[in-house]
Amino acid sequence: MAKVLMKGCEAIGEAAVRAGCRNFFGYPITPQTEVPEYLAKRFPEVGGEFVQAESEVASINMLYGGAGVGKRVLTTSSSPGISLMAEGLSYIAACELPIVFVNIVRAGPGLGGILPAQSDYHQATRGIGHGDFKIIVLAPSSVQEAVDLIIEAFDLADYWRNPVMVMGDGMIGQMMEPVEFPEMVNISKLPKKEWAADGCKGRSPNIINSLYLQAEKLNEHNWKLKAKYDEIEKRERRSETWGADDDMDVLVVAYGTMARIVKTALSEFRAAGGRAGLFRPISLWPFPHRELLAAGRKAKRILGVEMSTGQIMDDIRLSVGLNKKVDFFGKTGGVVPTPDDVLEQLHALTPPPKAKAKKKGRSK
Amino acid sequence: MAKVLMKGCEAIGEAAVRAGCRNFFGYPITPQTEVPEYLAKRFPEVGGEFVQAESEVASINMLYGGAGVGKRVLTTSSSPGISLMAEGLSYIAACELPIVFVNIVRAGPGLGGILPAQSDYHQATRGIGHGDFKIIVLAPSSVQEAVDLIIEAFDLADYWRNPVMVMGDGMIGQMMEPVEFPEMVNISKLPKKEWAADGCKGRSPNIINSLYLQAEKLNEHNWKLKAKYDEIEKRERRSETWGADDDMDVLVVAYGTMARIVKTALSEFRAAGGRAGLFRPISLWPFPHRELLAAGRKAKRILGVEMSTGQIMDDIRLSVGLNKKVDFFGKTGGVVPTPDDVLEQLHALTPPPKAKAKKKGRSK
Amino acid sequence: MAKVLMKGCEAIGEAAVRAGCRNFFGYPITPQTEVPEYLAKRFPEVGGEFVQAESEVASINMLYGGAGVGKRVLTTSSSPGISLMAEGLSYIAACELPIVFVNIVRAGPGLGGILPAQSDYHQATRGIGHGDFKIIVLAPSSVQEAVDLIIEAFDLADYWRNPVMVMGDGMIGQMMEPVEFPEMVNISKLPKKEWAADGCKGRSPNIINSLYLQAEKLNEHNWKLKAKYDEIEKRERRSETWGADDDMDVLVVAYGTMARIVKTALSEFRAAGGRAGLFRPISLWPFPHRELLAAGRKAKRILGVEMSTGQIMDDIRLSVGLNKKVDFFGKTGGVVPTPDDVLEQLHALTPPPKAKAKKKGRSK
Amino acid sequence: MAKVLMKGCEAIGEAAVRAGCRNFFGYPITPQTEVPEYLAKRFPEVGGEFVQAESEVASINMLYGGAGVGKRVLTTSSSPGISLMAEGLSYIAACELPIVFVNIVRAGPGLGGILPAQSDYHQATRGIGHGDFKIIVLAPSSVQEAVDLIIEAFDLADYWRNPVMVMGDGMIGQMMEPVEFPEMVNISKLPKKEWAADGCKGRSPNIINSLYLQAEKLNEHNWKLKAKYDEIEKRERRSETWGADDDMDVLVVAYGTMARIVKTALSEFRAAGGRAGLFRPISLWPFPHRELLAAGRKAKRILGVEMSTGQIMDDIRLSVGLNKKVDFFGKTGGVVPTPDDVLEQLHALTPPPKAKAKKKGRSK
């Protein structure tokens, strides 16, 4: 299929269509309103159903219903809207229902601003709701990867019967890039969901429920979930390294569009003789702890870069332990660090040879 | 003042009264409905205002308003209800408003059950809402401590202009214990809140706001918050050790009522010659990382015990690093581990001398 | 097409399908939940969209949206649910949007009960919301008529660009009768809605709006609406007489299923020589004032019968003036007057000759 | 007590305070936001409780609660906000709870405009919610009368255990007039509400409920309510005549601030020799039918004047029957008829002698 030039938000919408999603429930919020806008037009062409709900609280409960009857369902929102879904997400995860949702993160906390940020990392990877549950979190760094991960998200959701969040930011939603879409999934050939409450003629009813009045039953259920999460941690870690050679001075850890900016900075840094590379988690949960530990061993120090005040640092520390030198650089509130900002940090940590030489020269 | 025998939930309510709180907004949910029930009766006696709101979403926004005009405000809820407050909490933290809220944690996820749990640890300590913010979390292990921490919570909230959560569980809410209350705070002598939007006759208006349209302003605001959180991490860590001698075989880490059960198990274990102690975080955020690192150095291994599938383990690992042996034992869904359960774990990790002796004896 | 035996609620659902409605938004409430239940199953077969909203407030606003883009939209509810739609209905009428909604009236006020009633007459015909507006109200007295009126309701709504309510009661919803459906409407051949906000490629945008900041504009708009209502009053009055001969002793006025019960009573009354007939309004608004005036002239007195405490009496008086003898008989709260109850009333007002004879006989 | 110059909305607030109301629940909407604004400041001075709820749906249910425990409670809103209270009002009336609420009517339907109107007459007098119930509606035509009627409303509400609406419009809310307030009611001396659910120590519990599962019970309850409404119709009709001499050419029927404008027009009309008077209903329900019938007998014709498209006409017709000449004049949408507008109508119906003379003169 030929490539088309497309805005990130619209490409996300189209990817959901290709994945066989025909049910969207959501409420508009900047900077992701282009996704529902696109689907409101696109769904009718493919027999899909688009519902603008009364609120995010309503939306997430509609996803609960849609997923419960076996549909591939989607919502998209941005930070404050995601917070309003906290209770519903816990219900959905408890019931092991597959849903896909997109958080085009905006600057927080509170109303904050509408510019890009990555400051929902903690919420996404831990504690987005009450109780012992986990959601899979995927962080694309290009429009094409957003398309690929949306499609994969629907498969992961169905396979693991678990919510999957694709976490982007305003940049990825608004930038235009050439993308290639796969063929439309043949919905009728998707694996049958034997557990769905989709009518029980000729079989015993399926029950979708998160209430367990007997503690022992709920304990059992929670450990069954935990075993699933352990399995996901084993099998679904995704990451990428770039320029992560042996004997680096610095390994930068960054994800999403931030990682692209870091690559630009690293290219320049390396061109100037610097020894530094990138470790990019693609799945934020499960976090690629082992992969980062391995990559980290090859570097003298680690620099986390995030559009936040440092939420990813817990996971970096949990990967590499207390003995590795670890620093953080971030901006927040919608300010996007530039390649020069990152370069400056790299220089501060470990001046590249030429820079050292220059400095020497200067010091004469 | 003389001790009175009182149920935990009621004692929490009375403590809020003593702390000078006169405004409660909430919505009932088991197992903490006794707090609003108590305050609905008690507030009228002291000129307070009790409002049962339409929902938890409404409640938290009413706290936003009440705190904004400088009142000491309270809500209490349980896990799903707390999730519904996620968006509002982010707004309140962004505006640096002091509120106190209580989470009497019930088993989750989803509707779960109404029995005790500690499975909201991640939510409380990280990511309860979107954006870079933190809430102070205090975990009492007795009714008296609940009373003391509620009162301290109001002072901490005002001092740091930050939300403070007191996190208990169904046990602490339902058990009866003798408690002693301090004298009623003289509300008129509480420090004046110069920032409150409480009428601006004769001065320029105070503005309570979390929206920043200029990214640079929001960036600045977020780093200002971060500096406050760093300061809180320095100054407000609270923890306790019990029997944490040098040369322990095991240091158990547990908090809340779970820590009491662990103490019972440890007493027996130690009486039998075992070498084990307890580290009890009282503030879950800021987590007493340094204190645990120090205590952990004296033990061969660490055992985290929590009524969850292991949420506290991140913070234990972040305290002691990757090289310490660390295990977890927990039950969830409302099943409360007994002292015998804990004892069994201790024996499994490091049989006490007598047990070893017995075993030897048996092996003959 | 052959007749099929069908429950009223399901027949109402099928009628909407035949009328080309493919969008339902609603919230369940007894005794009409069988309509959404039916459509939830039926719509997917015909490419329709069924949404269970968060509440009735949400539902009616979704109808606003659906009608605004030109779809034939439906909601069904029962008394308390209809009250929750009051604000939305006023908005929809103000914007001249065609919607069809069904009120399967239950006993009120408040939660009341789930049994049949007609006590929403005033709400339906006057003051269901704020401002100067009217909705067309049709009251079927059999399942077949319900089917016919539902289909007509969609045509009337589109023609007049006005909300149309079909008002039934628990009896009509629950009873089974043989019904005949017309062929499915060819949706693509329905008249194009030139005013709809359905995409404005190649034309200037259509705006759906009820806010007028200039009083003169709103005054004009209201008198334009009034002219439409006057026209509807002229052209859309529907009523039926039965046994309304000249020289009646009593003309009974009743509508809906109550009218059927009255017919049974009248049959017996007339068989015994009594002179009484029925006037049945089919459109409650516009009320057939002229027709009732004419029919009333032929009777000595009028008896209104309604499952209420007498709401229809205003309209009877407005039809026949102050000089006619007018009485009321009704039961409420879910108690359905029996034919014998009605007969007793008739006898009390004007004993039929035989009865008189009998009485005479007896008095000997 | 001395007169003070005060804005209508604020005077309404103060009147509620004087009547012993200490509980307000509401949601802001133009043009009545000055009432809550006033009470938000005033209540704290007298130990009252002011709550801004999440929505009008929430507010009315909070009034339900507040009234249920025996408090004098108030909400104020404007047209769309009142519509959102429809369901709750039906519940409150069903439970026979005394509440007072103010509708400062704005132009409708839908969002309409924020200027004065009287187009909620039908909603107020009939069918504001589902089921057989009535609310008392009082329509002041000056700020002083608003104050008096607010105070009376609380007494009527308590006496009849029924909701009472005070219906004003933007003019009465915004105009400033000198008003005199009575002394503050001694709340502790108000009659004890024996039925209130205010704690049942030492007595059997009181139950506030609108659900009746047995139809016979609900039927009985509804007829009990009907008997109360009949009694209210007998005893609580309020009206005023002005210049309603014998042998009028025209009797104008108008209420609220519209009646004041009519008086100005009538003064001029009468000064010019015209024979016309005013009938002003003060209670809109119960409508003073008998009083209007009597006053109407003295006039050749009747002219209804209302800021609507003619909602009061039903009640005029119901008072005077079909044989009297009845006309209507109104403007709507926020356009307020001027005295000249009314004068023009009077002249059109019956030119005063001088005017006739003038006309003759001109025709020469």
Side-chain angles (χ1 to χ4, degrees):
Chain A
M1 203 175 170
K3 288 204 177 186
V4 289
L5 187 66
M6 222 166 168
K7 207 187 217 192
C9 275
E10 297 181 349
I12 284 170
E14 183 60 28
V17 171
R18 298 298 167 109
C21 171
R22 293 293 179 272
N23 294 272
F24 178 95
F25 309 91
Y27 192 83
I29 180 171
T30 303
Q32 63 77 51
T33 305
E34 291 91 342
V35 186
E37 201 183 349
Y38 179 84
L39 289 177
K41 283 188 203 155
R42 182 71 172 103
F43 264 179
E45 300 172 11
V46 294
E49 300 175 20
F50 176 91
V51 178
Q52 180 173 322
E54 190 183 3
S55 68
E56 287 87 352
V57 176
S59 310
I60 194 67
N61 283 291
M62 288 177 174
L63 270 102
Y64 187 171
V69 299
K71 302 287 182 185
R72 291 195 148 185
V73 295
L74 176 75
T75 193
T76 63
S77 190
S78 180
S79 311
I82 297 292
S83 286
L84 282 165
M85 298 182 186
E87 188 213 21
L89 280 168
S90 177
Y91 280 63
I92 288 169
C95 295
E96 293 193 85
L97 292 177
I99 69 160
V100 173
F101 67 116
V102 175
N103 183 4
I104 300 294
V105 183
R106 60 188 258 179
L111 263 183
I114 60 169
L115 293 172
Q118 297 184 306
S119 49
D120 299 352
Y121 182 92
H122 265 154
Q123 188 189 40
T125 59
R126 292 165 177 84
I128 201 170
H130 60 285
D132 284 304
F133 75 94
K134 284 289 180 186
I135 56 171
I136 298 172
V137 185
L138 305 174
S141 76
S142 70
V143 177
Q144 181 65 57
E145 195 180 25
V147 165
D148 298 344
L149 289 181
I150 285 283
I151 290 166
E152 193 171 0
F154 280 101
D155 290 338
L156 287 171
D158 281 354
Y159 183 82
W160 293 106
R161 294 185 54 192
N162 210 69
V164 180
M165 179 200 276
V166 175
M167 192 165 107
D169 58 58
M171 274 183 292
I172 217 163
Q174 302 299 327
M175 67 168 70
M176 293 191 80
E177 289 192 312
V179 279
E180 196 174 350
F181 292 99
E183 288 303 312
M184 186 86 76
V185 153
N186 185 333
I187 296 173
S188 65
K189 294 205 175 148
L190 289 172
K192 172 123 186 62
K193 298 178 179 179
E194 301 293 349
W195 48 265
D198 57 354
C200 57
K201 198 172 258 180
R203 62 160 172 81
S204 55
N206 288 326
I207 292 168
I208 310 283
N209 170 48
S210 73
L211 178 68
Y212 292 78
L213 291 176
Q214 287 171 283
E216 264 308 342
K217 286 267 159 88
L218 182 48
N219 185 37
E220 224 171 82
H221 174 63
N222 276 330
W223 286 105
K224 198 194 83 180
L225 289 180
K226 178 67 161 71
K228 178 174 85 173
Y229 302 142
D230 289 347
E231 196 66 22
I232 294 175
E233 284 196 307
K234 256 189 242 158
R235 290 170 48 187
E236 305 294 355
R237 295 192 311 273
R238 281 152 176 73
S239 63
E240 175 195 63
T241 54
W242 183 90
D245 316 316
D246 288 353
D247 300 318
M248 289 173 281
D249 286 318
V250 188
L251 176 69
V252 183
V253 180
Y255 61 92
T257 48
M258 192 64 242
R260 284 175 85 160
I261 295 168
V262 168
K263 273 189 196 173
T264 306
L266 283 174
S267 297
E268 194 171 330
F269 186 75
R270 289 164 64 95
R275 286 174 307 178
L278 169 73
F279 181 83
R280 177 168 76 92
I282 297 171
S283 60
L284 304 185
W285 191 86
F287 191 88
H289 287 296
R290 285 192 200 178
E291 291 74 9
L292 177 52
L293 178 61
R297 282 202 184 108
K298 299 188 281 177
K300 289 201 187 72
R301 59 197 310 156
I302 286 174
L303 174 66
V305 179
E306 193 180 40
M307 291 187 279
S308 83
T309 59
Q311 299 193 17
I312 200 182
M313 298 315 286
D314 278 357
D315 273 325
I316 292 179
R317 273 285 173 225
L318 286 168
S319 300
V320 303
L322 300 181
N323 301 323
K324 180 70 80 176
K325 279 187 200 162
V326 169
D327 290 283
F328 176 72
F329 172 64
K331 291 196 172 180
T332 177
V335 182
V336 180
T338 62
D340 279 356
D341 289 337
V342 178
L343 210 49
E344 194 180 316
Q345 295 298 315
L346 291 169
H347 288 180
L349 293 177
T350 170
K354 284 179 192 172
K356 282 174 201 169
K358 266 186 204 168
K359 268 195 179 169
K360 261 182 202 169
R362 269 178 201 157
S363 67
K364 275 178 195 173
Chain B
M1 202 171 172
K3 290 206 176 185
V4 288
L5 186 66
M6 224 168 165
K7 209 188 215 192
C9 276
E10 297 181 350
I12 284 169
E14 183 60 28
V17 170
R18 299 297 167 110
C21 171
R22 294 291 180 273
N23 293 270
F24 178 95
F25 309 91
Y27 192 82
I29 179 171
T30 303
Q32 62 77 52
T33 304
E34 290 91 344
V35 186
E37 199 182 354
Y38 180 84
L39 289 177
K41 282 187 205 157
R42 182 72 172 103
F43 264 178
E45 300 171 10
V46 293
E49 300 175 19
F50 175 92
V51 178
Q52 179 173 322
E54 189 182 3
S55 67
E56 287 87 352
V57 176
S59 310
I60 193 69
N61 282 291
M62 289 177 173
L63 270 101
Y64 187 171
V69 298
K71 302 287 183 185
R72 291 196 147 182
V73 295
L74 175 75
T75 193
T76 62
S77 189
S78 180
S79 311
I82 297 292
S83 287
L84 282 165
M85 298 183 185
E87 187 213 22
L89 280 168
S90 177
Y91 280 63
I92 289 169
C95 295
E96 294 193 84
L97 292 176
I99 69 159
V100 173
F101 67 115
V102 175
N103 182 3
I104 300 294
V105 183
R106 59 188 258 182
L111 264 182
I114 59 171
L115 293 172
Q118 298 184 306
S119 50
D120 298 353
Y121 182 92
H122 266 153
Q123 188 188 41
T125 59
R126 291 164 177 85
I128 200 170
H130 60 285
D132 283 305
F133 76 94
K134 285 288 179 186
I135 57 172
I136 298 172
V137 184
L138 305 174
S141 76
S142 71
V143 176
Q144 182 65 57
E145 196 180 24
V147 165
D148 298 343
L149 289 180
I150 285 282
I151 290 166
E152 193 171 1
F154 280 101
D155 291 337
L156 287 171
D158 280 356
Y159 183 82
W160 294 106
R161 295 185 52 192
N162 211 69
V164 181
M165 178 200 277
V166 175
M167 193 164 107
D169 58 57
M171 271 183 292
I172 217 162
Q174 302 300 327
M175 68 170 70
M176 293 190 81
E177 290 192 311
V179 277
E180 195 172 351
F181 293 99
E183 286 304 310
M184 187 88 74
V185 153
N186 185 334
I187 295 174
S188 65
K189 294 206 176 146
L190 288 172
K192 171 124 185 67
K193 298 178 179 179
E194 302 292 347
W195 49 264
D198 56 354
C200 57
K201 199 173 258 182
R203 62 159 171 82
S204 55
N206 289 326
I207 292 168
I208 310 282
N209 170 48
S210 74
L211 178 69
Y212 292 80
L213 290 176
Q214 287 171 283
E216 265 308 343
K217 287 268 159 88
L218 184 48
N219 185 36
E220 226 171 79
H221 175 63
N222 276 330
W223 286 105
K224 198 193 83 179
L225 289 180
K226 177 66 161 73
K228 178 174 88 174
Y229 301 141
D230 288 347
E231 197 65 23
I232 295 175
E233 283 196 309
K234 256 188 240 157
R235 290 170 49 190
E236 305 294 357
R237 297 193 307 274
R238 280 152 177 73
S239 62
E240 175 194 66
T241 54
W242 184 89
D245 316 315
D246 289 352
D247 301 316
M248 288 173 281
D249 287 317
V250 188
L251 176 68
V252 182
V253 180
Y255 60 92
T257 47
M258 192 65 242
R260 284 174 85 159
I261 294 167
V262 168
K263 274 190 199 174
T264 307
L266 283 173
S267 297
E268 192 170 335
F269 186 74
R270 288 163 65 93
R275 285 173 309 175
L278 169 73
F279 181 83
R280 176 167 77 93
I282 296 171
S283 59
L284 303 186
W285 189 89
F287 190 88
H289 287 297
R290 285 194 201 177
E291 291 74 9
L292 177 52
L293 178 60
R297 281 202 186 108
K298 301 189 279 178
K300 290 203 187 72
R301 60 197 309 156
I302 287 175
L303 173 67
V305 179
E306 194 180 39
M307 291 186 280
S308 82
T309 59
Q311 299 193 17
I312 199 179
M313 298 315 286
D314 278 356
D315 274 325
I316 293 178
R317 271 287 173 222
L318 286 168
S319 300
V320 302
L322 301 182
N323 301 323
K324 179 71 80 179
K325 277 187 198 160
V326 170
D327 290 283
F328 176 72
F329 171 66
K331 293 197 173 180
T332 180
V335 182
V336 180
T338 61
D340 280 354
D341 290 336
V342 178
L343 211 48
E344 193 180 320
Q345 295 297 315
L346 291 169
H347 288 181
L349 294 177
T350 169
K354 286 182 190 169
K356 283 174 200 169
K358 266 188 200 165
K359 270 195 176 168
K360 264 184 198 167
R362 272 181 200 152
S363 69
K364 276 180 193 174
Chain C
M1 202 173 173
K3 290 206 177 186
V4 289
L5 187 66
M6 223 166 168
K7 209 188 216 192
C9 277
E10 296 181 349
I12 284 170
E14 182 60 29
V17 170
R18 298 297 167 110
C21 170
R22 294 292 179 274
N23 293 270
F24 177 96
F25 308 92
Y27 192 83
I29 179 172
T30 303
Q32 62 78 50
T33 304
E34 290 90 343
V35 186
E37 199 183 351
Y38 180 83
L39 289 177
K41 281 188 205 155
R42 182 72 171 106
F43 264 179
E45 300 171 10
V46 293
E49 300 175 20
F50 175 92
V51 179
Q52 180 173 321
E54 191 183 2
S55 68
E56 287 87 352
V57 176
S59 309
I60 193 68
N61 282 292
M62 289 178 174
L63 270 100
Y64 188 171
V69 298
K71 303 287 183 186
R72 291 197 148 183
V73 295
L74 175 75
T75 193
T76 62
S77 189
S78 180
S79 312
I82 297 292
S83 287
L84 282 166
M85 298 182 185
E87 189 214 22
L89 280 168
S90 177
Y91 281 64
I92 288 169
C95 295
E96 295 194 84
L97 292 177
I99 69 159
V100 173
F101 67 115
V102 175
N103 183 2
I104 300 293
V105 183
R106 59 188 257 181
L111 263 183
I114 59 170
L115 293 172
Q118 297 184 305
S119 49
D120 298 352
Y121 182 92
H122 265 153
Q123 188 189 41
T125 59
R126 291 163 177 87
I128 200 170
H130 61 285
D132 284 304
F133 76 94
K134 284 288 180 187
I135 56 170
I136 298 173
V137 184
L138 305 174
S141 75
S142 70
V143 176
Q144 181 66 56
E145 197 180 23
V147 165
D148 298 344
L149 289 180
I150 285 283
I151 290 167
E152 194 171 0
F154 280 101
D155 290 337
L156 287 171
D158 280 355
Y159 183 82
W160 293 105
R161 293 185 53 192
N162 211 71
V164 180
M165 179 200 276
V166 175
M167 192 164 106
D169 59 56
M171 272 182 293
I172 218 162
Q174 302 300 326
M175 68 170 68
M176 292 190 81
E177 289 193 312
V179 279
E180 196 172 351
F181 293 99
E183 287 303 311
M184 186 87 74
V185 153
N186 185 334
I187 296 173
S188 65
K189 294 205 176 146
L190 288 172
K192 170 125 184 64
K193 299 179 180 179
E194 302 292 347
W195 49 263
D198 56 354
C200 57
K201 197 172 259 181
R203 63 158 172 83
S204 55
N206 289 326
I207 292 168
I208 311 282
N209 171 47
S210 73
L211 177 69
Y212 292 79
L213 290 176
Q214 287 172 284
E216 265 308 343
K217 286 266 159 90
L218 183 49
N219 185 36
E220 225 172 81
H221 175 62
N222 276 330
W223 285 106
K224 199 193 83 180
L225 290 180
K226 177 67 163 70
K228 177 173 87 173
Y229 302 142
D230 289 346
E231 197 65 23
I232 294 175
E233 283 196 310
K234 257 189 242 156
R235 291 170 49 188
E236 305 294 358
R237 297 192 308 273
R238 281 153 175 75
S239 63
E240 174 194 66
T241 54
W242 184 89
D245 317 315
D246 289 351
D247 301 317
M248 288 173 282
D249 288 318
V250 189
L251 177 68
V252 183
V253 181
Y255 60 92
T257 47
M258 192 65 244
R260 285 175 86 158
I261 295 167
V262 168
K263 274 191 198 174
T264 306
L266 282 172
S267 297
E268 192 171 334
F269 186 73
R270 289 164 64 94
R275 286 174 307 175
L278 169 73
F279 180 83
R280 177 168 77 93
I282 296 170
S283 60
L284 303 186
W285 190 87
F287 190 88
H289 287 296
R290 286 194 200 177
E291 290 75 8
L292 176 52
L293 178 60
R297 283 204 185 105
K298 299 190 279 180
K300 291 204 186 70
R301 59 197 308 154
I302 286 175
L303 174 67
V305 179
E306 194 180 39
M307 290 187 279
S308 82
T309 60
Q311 300 193 18
I312 199 179
M313 299 315 287
D314 278 357
D315 274 325
I316 293 178
R317 272 286 173 223
L318 285 168
S319 300
V320 302
L322 302 181
N323 301 323
K324 180 69 83 181
K325 278 187 200 160
V326 170
D327 291 283
F328 176 72
F329 172 65
K331 293 197 173 179
T332 179
V335 182
V336 180
T338 61
D340 279 354
D341 289 336
V342 178
L343 211 48
E344 193 179 320
Q345 295 298 315
L346 291 168
H347 286 182
L349 294 176
T350 169
K354 285 184 192 169
K356 284 174 203 169
K358 265 188 201 166
K359 269 193 179 171
K360 264 185 203 168
R362 272 181 199 154
S363 68
K364 275 181 195 171
Chain D
M1 202 175 171
K3 289 204 176 186
V4 288
L5 186 67
M6 222 167 167
K7 207 188 216 191
C9 275
E10 296 180 351
I12 284 169
E14 183 60 29
V17 171
R18 298 298 167 108
C21 171
R22 293 293 179 274
N23 293 272
F24 177 94
F25 309 92
Y27 192 84
I29 180 171
T30 303
Q32 62 77 52
T33 305
E34 291 91 343
V35 186
E37 200 182 351
Y38 180 85
L39 289 177
K41 282 187 204 154
R42 183 72 171 106
F43 264 179
E45 300 171 12
V46 293
E49 300 175 20
F50 175 91
V51 179
Q52 180 174 321
E54 190 183 3
S55 68
E56 287 87 353
V57 176
S59 309
I60 193 67
N61 282 292
M62 288 177 174
L63 270 101
Y64 188 172
V69 298
K71 302 287 182 186
R72 291 197 147 184
V73 294
L74 176 75
T75 194
T76 63
S77 189
S78 180
S79 310
I82 297 292
S83 287
L84 282 166
M85 298 181 185
E87 188 213 22
L89 279 168
S90 176
Y91 280 63
I92 288 169
C95 295
E96 294 193 86
L97 292 177
I99 69 160
V100 174
F101 66 116
V102 175
N103 183 2
I104 301 294
V105 183
R106 60 187 259 181
L111 263 182
I114 60 169
L115 293 172
Q118 298 183 306
S119 49
D120 298 353
Y121 182 92
H122 266 153
Q123 188 188 40
T125 60
R126 291 165 177 84
I128 200 171
H130 60 284
D132 284 304
F133 76 94
K134 285 288 179 186
I135 56 172
I136 297 173
V137 185
L138 306 173
S141 75
S142 70
V143 177
Q144 181 65 58
E145 196 180 25
V147 165
D148 298 343
L149 289 181
I150 285 283
I151 291 167
E152 194 172 358
F154 280 101
D155 290 338
L156 287 171
D158 280 356
Y159 183 82
W160 293 107
R161 295 185 53 191
N162 211 69
V164 181
M165 179 200 277
V166 175
M167 192 164 107
D169 57 57
M171 272 184 291
I172 217 162
Q174 302 300 326
M175 67 169 69
M176 292 191 81
E177 290 193 312
V179 279
E180 196 173 350
F181 293 98
E183 287 302 312
M184 187 85 77
V185 153
N186 185 332
I187 296 173
S188 66
K189 293 203 175 150
L190 289 172
K192 171 122 187 63
K193 299 179 179 178
E194 302 292 349
W195 47 264
D198 57 354
C200 58
K201 197 173 257 179
R203 62 159 173 82
S204 56
N206 288 327
I207 292 168
I208 311 282
N209 170 47
S210 74
L211 177 69
Y212 292 80
L213 290 176
Q214 285 171 284
E216 265 308 343
K217 287 267 158 91
L218 183 49
N219 184 37
E220 224 171 84
H221 175 62
N222 275 330
W223 286 106
K224 198 193 83 179
L225 289 180
K226 178 67 162 71
K228 177 174 86 172
Y229 300 142
D230 289 346
E231 197 66 21
I232 295 175
E233 283 195 310
K234 256 187 241 159
R235 292 170 49 187
E236 305 294 358
R237 296 192 308 274
R238 281 152 176 75
S239 62
E240 175 195 63
T241 54
W242 184 89
D245 316 316
D246 288 354
D247 301 319
M248 289 173 282
D249 287 317
V250 188
L251 177 68
V252 183
V253 180
Y255 60 93
T257 48
M258 192 64 242
R260 286 175 83 158
I261 294 167
V262 168
K263 273 189 196 175
T264 306
L266 283 174
S267 296
E268 194 171 332
F269 186 74
R270 289 164 62 95
R275 287 175 306 177
L278 170 72
F279 181 84
R280 177 167 76 92
I282 296 171
S283 60
L284 304 185
W285 190 86
F287 191 88
H289 287 295
R290 287 193 200 178
E291 291 74 9
L292 177 52
L293 178 61
R297 283 205 183 104
K298 299 189 280 177
K300 290 203 187 69
R301 58 196 311 155
I302 286 174
L303 174 66
V305 179
E306 193 179 41
M307 291 187 280
S308 81
T309 60
Q311 299 193 19
I312 200 181
M313 299 314 287
D314 278 357
D315 274 325
I316 293 180
R317 273 284 174 225
L318 286 170
S319 299
V320 302
L322 300 181
N323 301 324
K324 180 69 84 180
K325 280 187 199 160
V326 170
D327 291 283
F328 176 72
F329 171 66
K331 292 196 172 181
T332 179
V335 183
V336 180
T338 63
D340 279 355
D341 289 337
V342 177
L343 211 48
E344 194 180 315
Q345 294 299 314
L346 291 169
H347 288 181
L349 293 178
T350 169
K354 284 182 192 171
K356 282 174 201 166
K358 265 189 204 163
K359 267 196 178 166
K360 263 184 201 170
R362 271 180 200 153
S363 68
K364 277 180 192 171

